[in-house]
Amino acid sequence: MELVSEVMMTSYYLLIILITVVFSFKTKKRHYKNLPPTPPSLPIIGHLHLVKPPLHRALRNLSTKYGDVFSLGFGFRQVVVVSSPSVVEECFTKNDVVLANRPQLLAAKHIGYNSTNMVDTPYGDHWRNLRRIGATEIFSSGRLNLFVGIRRDEVKRLLFKLSHHKDWQKVELKSMLQELLYNILMRMVAGKRCDNNDMVNKEEARRYRDTLRVALGLAGAGNSADFLPFLNWIPNSFEKKVKKVGKKLDSLVEGLIKEHRSSRDKNRNTIIEHLLSLQESQPEYYTAQIIKGFVLVIFAAGMDTSATLEWVMANLLNYPHVLKKVKDEIDSQIGQQQLINESDVSKLPYLQCVISETLRLYPAGPLLVPHYSSNDCTISRYDVPHGTILLVNTWAIHRDPKLWKDADSFIPERFENINSENNEGYKLMPFGLGRRACPGKSLAQRMMGLTLGSLIQCFDWKRIDDNEIDMVEGKGLTMPKAVPLEAMCKPRPIMEFLL
């Protein structure tokens, strides 16, 4: 037995050596004279031991030592990290096409329909087609305007749910905000709600939300097997987990589409119905896989918005004077006799400042979705080889004391004289930049403005005790709060008018 064990261990080490040699040859590049600075690395794993969660904080700490542009070896893959607005501008102007690709990762392969959805697909004709469909058929102003009534109705349902007590009551906002956005998106996509008294529908809603949450968690898990492929050979590997979740999620999305196919109604105002109608006339563009990919991207984007709403409310509870200023603005511009509409948000510049400041401090994506160099290029005079993953540390730039006065403080007034459309010279990028920027920005802004304006117009808010709200971020792709937000609320006079 000892001999067998010794032989097995020897074989194991020989296999590791063989893998190392093979991948060294596969990833070997010609000599580059001026590569970005890099910390000392370990054999095989490179710098993976240096990047403990949360990743954006670990990378910010490394940038203080190695500069605004530095490189890391994540196993067998090369990564360049950028933490400067001037360098970001260079990446998304001079190098925008070269860096418009995406690295092929396991989550995108098994959850993102083999990287064919708009977020994960490589740059090229297929991506341009998806971008065109998204811009004209899903996220255009005209299409979003068709769903104004849905968003307003769902927000009113939330307000009524909160108004059961006339005095102060404690509420857990995270789950309520998630349910609100989930139902908005479900009605836009499939024309159905899943939180009524029908237990079948409630169970269906739970399955969708739980599966989507697990899928997003895996997508943002920082999987080592993407960089050390032999880890996928072990039992219960990451790839096996993500395959299982991907199949389950696909089954749920496929079910929504089958429901529409079995009872076609071209007058039904849903995104799936619209895409199926387009599929009839242009089947080469609107394949089943493309339609499912869009459904998945829309739901994923909604989860980003719910996290941001929770951060905004947490900031307002910690800064009562800011909350009062927003309330006074709403009362002055909208009043207490009519409920705020999406079109009214443009009249509320201070509310928009509060949202911008929250997105600065707590961006839904603390790191932009990874980019990937399709050719050799230079970034800030450094050589960046073909096949390098680019990580933009949005969180670090948003909190850089050289760029922002009192960078870690919540000061919405800093945006009062800033045109948000120019992003302050690449200092603020909560929705990304360049040709791969978030196409759902307008939808997110509409949902945030309407929801926050309505909650503040219709209720008084305060903390549950004298302690400040815990603002520690948790693990996950969208940087959620570590501790779900609880607060006290009491209906304002407008709720009596509405009821």
Side-chain angles (χ1 to χ4, degrees), residues 84-85 87-93 96 99-100 102 131 368-369 371 392 394 397-398 421-438 441:
S84 157
V87 181
V88 169
E89 181 176 10
E90 183 181 350
C91 290
F92 296 111
T93 52
D96 196 25
L99 296 172
R102 297 292 194 207
R131 186 73 175 192
L368 294 189
V369 179
H371 290 248
V392 176
T394 307
I397 293 173
H398 286 187
E421 292 302 314
N422 65 19
N423 279 343
E424 264 291 271
Y426 296 86
K427 289 165 54 178
L428 186 71
M429 57 191 93
F431 298 99
L433 294 168
R435 60 193 65 211
R436 300 299 295 246
C438 176
K441 174 182 176 181

Side-chain angles (χ1 to χ4, degrees), residues 158-279:
L158 172 62
L159 298 177
F160 291 148
K161 186 182 296 185
L162 289 170
S163 65
H164 289 321
H165 299 275
K166 293 186 177 181
D167 206 347
W168 291 101
Q169 63 169 321
K170 184 167 76 170
V171 295
E172 196 267 279
L173 277 173
K174 179 174 184 174
S175 60
M176 288 188 170
L177 292 172
Q178 286 182 340
E179 182 178 298
L180 165 73
L181 293 172
Y182 174 80
N183 277 304
I184 288 175
L185 296 172
M186 182 61 82
R187 288 179 67 181
M188 288 174 58
V189 169
K192 60 193 293 186
R193 305 186 76 251
C194 293
D195 71 337
N196 57 26
N197 294 325
D198 185 336
M199 291 306 295
V200 175
N201 281 348
K202 291 178 73 173
E203 179 63 21
E204 182 183 33
R206 186 191 62 78
R207 290 202 311 272
Y208 272 104
R209 286 196 293 263
D210 289 352
T211 304
L212 186 61
R213 185 173 64 249
V214 171
L216 291 174
L218 290 173
N223 168 39
S224 298
D226 278 313
F227 312 107
L228 299 170
F230 58 82
L231 293 179
N232 284 311
W233 302 348
I234 65 176
N236 198 32
S237 68
F238 177 86
E239 185 166 22
K240 290 183 176 64
K241 292 178 184 177
V242 82
K243 273 185 180 179
K244 182 178 179 181
V245 171
K247 288 179 180 178
K248 188 174 181 181
L249 192 60
D250 176 67
S251 175
L252 295 171
V253 174
E254 181 69 30
L256 293 176
I257 296 173
K258 281 183 176 179
E259 285 180 22
H260 275 68
R261 289 193 190 279
S262 63
S263 57
R264 293 300 304 278
D265 179 1
K266 294 187 178 181
N267 294 318
R268 181 165 43 187
N269 180 28
T270 69
I271 290 173
I272 289 178
E273 185 65 43
H274 181 60
L275 292 176
L276 289 178
S277 297
L278 292 170
Q279 187 184 53

Side-chain angles (χ1 to χ4, degrees), residues 107-120 138-139 185 189 208 211-213 215-216 219 245-246 248-254 256-257 271-272 275 288-304:
K109 177 181 178 181
H110 297 297
I111 296 176
Y113 296 103
N114 201 25
S115 300
T116 58
N117 66 82
M118 184 166 54
V119 174
D120 299 312
I138 296 177
F139 298 113
L185 296 172
V189 169
Y208 272 104
T211 304
L212 186 61
R213 185 173 64 249
L216 291 174
V245 171
K248 188 174 181 181
L249 192 60
D250 176 67
S251 175
L252 295 171
V253 174
E254 181 69 30
L256 293 176
I257 296 173
I271 290 173
I272 289 178
L275 292 176
Q289 188 164 272
I290 284 178
I291 293 174
K292 288 192 287 187
F294 272 117
V295 171
L296 183 63
V297 167
I298 292 168
F299 278 115
M303 296 300 131
D304 293 355

